[in-house]
Amino acid sequence: MDLRLIPFIIGSLYAGMGIILGILAVIVRGFFGFDLGFILNALLYLTLAHISIKWAPKFLVLLPKQRILVAVYITLAIGILQGLALDFITQEHPWGAYTAYLFIQPIGVGLIAFFLEELCKSNKFKNHKVETKRLEAVEQMGAAISHEIRNPLTAALGFVQLLENDQLNEEERELYLSILKQELHSAENVIQDYLTFSDPNIEKEKFDLIQEVTNVVHSLKPHAQKNEIRIITVLPKNVIIEGDRQKLRQCLMNIMKNALEAMENGGLLKVKVILHYSTVTIRIKDTGPGMTKEQIERIGEPYYSTKGDRGTGLGLMVVFSIIRAMNGTIHAESEVGKGTVFEISLPTIPSDIEIRTMSNIYI
């Protein structure tokens, strides 16, 4: 006994492939001879294929349980017709064939239909969950951004109202204007961070990575000295990469500044550049309080920050976006009480690399 009816029913009802499967079933039957059985099979499958064009759209709008039952009932009805046809041809009572037609085929269709419905249900649930998370991320990111913009704008509005006072002297007016400018600049920075995240717009140019790392370290040295933090660098010479110089500097500045702020009671910040065959890794390690596994997993989310009310997570969100746009990768590891390590890997230009290492210590 063959079970051609099972894939035919499933394919015609769920995939609308009744015509193709019907013709295929007739062709396969032809390999066993062109007899009365072939003629009856051809009539059966070609008729069912024609009917399936109309029943498939109506079938798909039914509820899952209804679809399973309808598929089983249709298979059972066709199985009865097959049994009667076989009885007519052989003039006997082949009970084994009746068992296949009336039990095996309906059960097979029912099981496959059940698994298909469960698979569809699982996929719908997964897609719904993904969509819900996306909406949640957008909502929370929007709330974080609006919060960060509202604060400087509220302050700016207050100083605008103060500037409307005609009795202000020139010194007070200049002070208020200076503060107003700073608040508006803060709001602009938040908007720029969001635009950088959504579209990094990388301008590619060749530049010396070591020079940029050195510049960032020098600019942070006063802040480090104030908090009694030592910065140690281990750098090779002339590591040429291609990317956006300014945006990479922004990334390095953000990560190193976060590391310095984490070490409130002093500590050590080590910046090491490691050369590989076709990539270069910037390793930034601090001796701060570290983070838990849950915090590390959420690093880079647009609405998550370990700084509490002092941050929104937009800084590292932008860092991740920029590094990806430069065809690089970023990885963070941390252990509570032992500090945090950030590793940024970027593609290099091998012909311009000189593998000679030097160390500088900034106190």
Side-chain angles (χ1 to χ4, degrees):
M1 295 300 300
D2 66 83
L3 301 174
R4 288 171 292 164
L5 187 63
I6 294 178
F8 174 82
I9 292 294
I10 295 297
S12 60
L13 291 178
Y14 282 92
M17 298 175 61
I19 296 294
I20 298 174
L21 294 175
I23 295 173
L24 183 60
V26 174
I27 293 174
V28 171
R29 179 59 181 82
F31 289 109
F32 296 93
F34 296 93
D35 50 14
L36 181 59
F38 172 80
I39 295 174
L40 293 176
N41 270 272
L43 290 174
L44 174 65
Y45 281 102
L46 293 179
T47 302
L48 292 176
H50 179 73
I51 297 175
S52 69
I53 299 175
K54 295 182 178 180
W55 76 28
K58 297 179 180 179
F59 173 81
L60 294 175
V61 299
L62 299 175
L63 296 175
K65 291 183 179 179
Q66 293 176 334
R67 285 197 290 263
I68 296 174
L69 292 176
V70 168
V72 172
Y73 289 152
I74 291 175
T75 306
L76 181 60
I78 297 174
I80 294 173
L81 291 177
Q82 287 178 315
L84 293 175
L86 184 62
D87 191 47
F88 172 76
I89 295 172
T90 62
Q91 297 296 323
E92 297 176 359
H93 302 288
W95 299 109
Y98 294 156
T99 302
Y101 288 140
L102 302 180
F103 295 99
I104 296 179
Q105 289 186 155
I107 292 174
V109 168
L111 288 174
I112 295 175
F114 174 78
F115 288 128
L116 284 176
E117 295 295 345
E118 287 298 312
L119 182 61
C120 292
K121 181 180 178 181
S122 176
N123 287 337
K124 287 181 180 179
F125 177 75
K126 181 180 178 181
N127 293 335
H128 177 72
K129 188 175 181 180
V130 170
E131 188 65 25
T132 301
K133 285 194 172 184
R134 286 178 180 173
L135 292 175
E136 181 182 351
V138 171
E139 291 174 358
Q140 295 186 1
M141 182 172 65
I145 293 174
S146 62
H147 172 73
E148 287 299 302
I149 294 178
R150 185 183 295 113
N151 287 340
L153 289 183
T154 301
L157 181 61
F159 283 103
V160 169
Q161 293 174 347
L162 291 175
L163 288 170
E164 292 176 348
N165 188 354
D166 296 333
Q167 299 181 356
L168 290 177
N169 57 47
E170 191 63 26
E171 183 178 351
E172 290 176 329
R173 189 176 297 276
E174 289 181 0
L175 176 62
Y176 291 165
L177 286 173
S178 175
I179 298 175
L180 174 61
K181 183 178 179 181
Q182 291 177 5
E183 296 297 336
L184 293 177
H185 185 65
S186 297
E188 182 186 16
N189 286 339
V190 174
I191 296 173
Q192 185 60 44
D193 283 344
Y194 175 73
L195 293 177
T196 302
F197 166 72
S198 59
D199 183 13
N201 192 22
I202 298 298
E203 297 181 2
K204 290 188 176 182
E205 61 172 324
K206 292 182 180 180
F207 62 92
D208 185 2
L209 172 65
I210 304 306
Q211 184 63 47
E212 295 307 315
V213 173
T214 303
N215 291 340
V216 172
V217 170
H218 278 299
S219 64
L220 291 175
K221 188 167 67 170
H223 183 53
Q225 290 176 337
K226 180 181 179 182
N227 294 332
E228 299 182 352
I229 299 172
R230 288 196 309 158
I231 303 179
I232 299 179
T233 63
V234 181
L235 309 173
K237 286 186 178 180
N238 303 328
V239 179
I240 306 300
I241 66 173
E242 188 175 32
D244 194 309
R245 182 197 304 264
Q246 296 297 329
K247 285 187 170 57
L248 180 61
R249 184 184 301 173
Q250 177 185 356
C251 294
L252 298 176
M253 179 70 73
N254 197 306
I255 294 175
M256 293 186 195
K257 187 177 180 182
N258 285 345
L260 296 179
E261 291 176 352
M263 296 183 285
E264 298 178 350
N265 300 319
L268 176 67
L269 177 65
K270 185 175 182 179
V271 182
K272 185 177 182 180
V273 175
I274 306 168
L275 292 172
H276 306 285
Y277 176 72
S278 60
T279 60
V280 59
T281 299
I282 309 166
R283 193 171 189 268
I284 303 171
K285 184 179 187 304
D286 65 61
T287 57
M291 291 179 282
T292 64
K293 182 179 179 181
E294 290 74 18
Q295 289 174 321
I296 281 292
E297 289 176 350
R298 298 190 63 184
I299 285 294
E301 291 185 9
Y303 52 85
Y304 180 75
S305 174
T306 58
K307 299 179 182 180
D309 296 335
R310 295 180 299 165
T312 63
L314 290 177
L316 284 179
M317 174 192 73
V318 172
V319 169
F320 276 69
S321 179
I322 291 174
I323 298 302
R324 283 195 299 266
M326 292 179 62
N327 298 321
T329 60
I330 182 169
H331 175 70
E333 292 182 357
S334 185
E335 187 175 349
V336 176
K338 295 186 178 181
T340 304
V341 179
F342 275 89
E343 290 188 350
I344 300 173
S345 294
L346 297 167
T348 58
I349 303 176
S351 59
D352 293 329
I353 295 178
E354 292 182 17
I355 309 179
R356 290 180 297 176
T357 304
M358 58 178 284
S359 297
N360 295 321
I361 299 180
Y362 298 90
I363 301 177

